Amino acid sequence: MNSKNNVIHIPYGGYKNETSINGVTIRQLVESKGLDILHHRLGDSNRWAVGPIVGWDGLEFVYILKGSLSWKERDELKVASVGDYLIMDPILEDTLFKAIGETEFLYISSGSMYESVDDQVKEYMDLAVTVEEKDGYTADHCRRIKDLSMKIGEVMELSSEELLELNFGSFLHDIGKTKIPDAILNKPGKLTNEEYEEMKLHTVHGADLLRKTGIPILEKASIIVEQHHERYNGTGYPKGLKGDEISLLANIVAVIDSFDAMTSVRVYSQGRSVESAIEEIKRERGRLFHPQVVDAFLFIQ
């Protein structure tokens, strides 16, 4: 691998000593004299990524201690196993790695933006979970949307960069609800027309929040956040886009978010059976939902 600029980690560690989230544990071993050494432990099928950040041209080094990491490089699937190492000097493109079995590796950087970037990303991740809990979902909602979206992305053979964008955008799809009044967000009954119009603005608010971070991958993911309620036939919001006007990645999140909403137990809904929700997705193929995305969704069921 080659490179340019710096690195963003998935999932979102940043504290000294040890941080665990979504099946990944990150322990900072050393930060001294411009050198940052981190120990990563990933559960099977969990993901981690590196990618460029403007102004960084340092060295990134990964050494596999246990298990294996797979990734795409120019559409070719590659695997690194115990004893293998990767040198990125500097990193040029976003690359998403997936653990094959329980995996551990050392990540060494010749300089650190670890705290300044990862802390901000982790803050957004934590905020996204808090918002979903307020909106009647469980804390697992964001993770479910991300995990199923990534499975569809892999079936559709998205590029490493697209998968990385999907990883962030799917998890943060509802981050804009932080701007929606609690009285609307927590209302147990049907929203009035005015309240519903206010609720729909969460897509615009969320995209704006991510664009203002100045973090390139979050800026890219803002498109998913803005468009995940658009519908294939143009009946969605906020802009009434249709067909290929809608990002493919947003189309993926649209299907998974709708499926999860139908099957989730919330204050005002007992949730439908998985079988009933799948039939609904089938019926809306080519109308509300992108047909190829629906086909990929049905493939993973």
Side-chain angles (χ1 to χ4, degrees):
M1 291 183 64
N2 294 318
S3 40
K4 179 184 185 176
N5 309 342
N6 189 26
V7 18
I8 297 172
H9 304 275
I10 297 176
Y12 336 110
Y15 299 115
K16 291 187 192 252
N17 299 323
E18 185 170 295
T19 296
S20 296
I21 185 170
N22 288 346
V24 180
T25 300
I26 304 173
R27 180 182 296 124
Q28 188 171 43
L29 303 178
V30 175
E31 183 184 19
S32 178
K33 298 180 179 179
L35 186 68
D36 203 10
I37 303 178
L38 308 170
H39 176 273
H40 287 62
R41 183 170 67 245
L42 281 67
D44 183 36
S45 297
N46 280 281
R47 297 171 178 87
W48 174 81
V50 292
I53 291 178
V54 175
W56 172 260
D57 62 356
L59 172 72
E60 318 289 340
F61 179 87
V62 173
Y63 184 83
I64 310 297
L65 301 170
K66 178 182 178 181
S68 301
L69 291 176
S70 66
W71 73 99
K72 272 187 175 181
E73 192 169 310
R74 300 180 185 89
D75 293 327
E76 179 184 353
L77 184 65
K78 296 196 172 186
V79 177
S81 299
V82 177
D84 292 338
Y85 61 88
L86 306 173
I87 298 176
M88 298 158 279
D89 184 22
I91 183 99
L92 289 173
E93 59 187 24
D94 293 318
T95 302
L96 185 68
F97 297 91
K98 183 178 179 180
I100 303 174
E102 297 290 324
T103 300
E104 297 183 26
F105 60 91
L106 289 179
Y107 167 75
I108 302 173
S109 171
S110 62
S112 179
M113 292 183 68
Y114 183 66
E115 293 184 8
S116 61
V117 173
D118 281 11
D119 280 358
Q120 187 175 0
V121 174
K122 187 177 186 300
E123 179 183 350
Y124 273 75
M125 297 299 167
D126 291 343
L127 188 58
V129 171
T130 300
V131 167
E132 297 296 13
E133 290 173 332
K134 289 172 64 177
D135 195 27
Y137 287 106
T138 68
D140 289 335
H141 175 71
C142 294
R143 184 176 178 179
R144 289 197 305 270
I145 301 302
K146 183 198 73 173
D147 288 348
L148 286 175
S149 294
M150 295 300 287
K151 286 181 180 180
I152 287 182
E154 290 171 350
V155 168
M156 298 186 75
E157 298 184 339
L158 299 182
S159 68
S160 184
E161 184 173 358
E162 288 171 324
L163 287 170
L164 180 56
E165 184 179 335
L166 181 61
N167 189 88
F168 279 102
S170 58
F171 196 97
L172 294 170
H173 66 286
D174 276 345
I175 191 70
K177 288 181 179 178
T178 57
K179 300 292 185 180
I180 304 300
D182 286 351
I184 295 176
L185 207 57
N186 299 329
K187 188 174 180 178
K190 185 178 180 179
L191 300 178
T192 66
N193 290 338
E194 293 78 12
E195 289 170 338
Y196 183 56
E197 290 302 313
E198 180 75 18
M199 176 67 86
K200 289 196 295 186
L201 290 176
H202 80 273
T203 56
V204 178
H205 294 322
D208 190 49
L209 281 170
L210 296 193
R211 288 170 186 148
K212 287 180 178 178
T213 64
I215 299 174
I217 191 57
L218 295 189
E219 292 175 347
K220 292 178 183 178
S222 69
I223 299 298
I224 298 174
V225 173
E226 185 173 55
Q227 296 182 1
H228 75 280
H229 278 289
E230 299 286 2
R231 294 296 178 254
Y232 198 68
N233 63 359
T235 60
Y237 61 85
K239 296 181 179 179
L241 303 178
K242 62 182 179 179
D244 292 339
E245 294 174 343
I246 307 168
S247 157
L248 177 61
L249 306 185
N251 275 305
I252 291 173
V253 176
V255 169
I256 298 305
D257 189 38
S258 296
F259 173 73
D260 196 77
M262 283 188 276
T263 56
S264 292
V265 176
R266 301 167 75 181
V267 174
Y268 49 83
S269 172
Q270 289 304 305
R272 296 163 61 170
S273 69
V274 169
E275 294 75 18
S276 173
I278 289 175
E279 288 303 313
E280 181 72 14
I281 298 294
K282 286 182 181 178
R283 283 193 293 272
E284 298 299 345
R285 181 186 184 275
R287 196 175 80 88
L288 297 184
F289 304 124
H290 192 297
Q292 289 178 294
V293 173
V294 171
D295 292 344
F297 169 76
L298 295 175
F299 181 81
I300 68 173
Q301 296 307 307

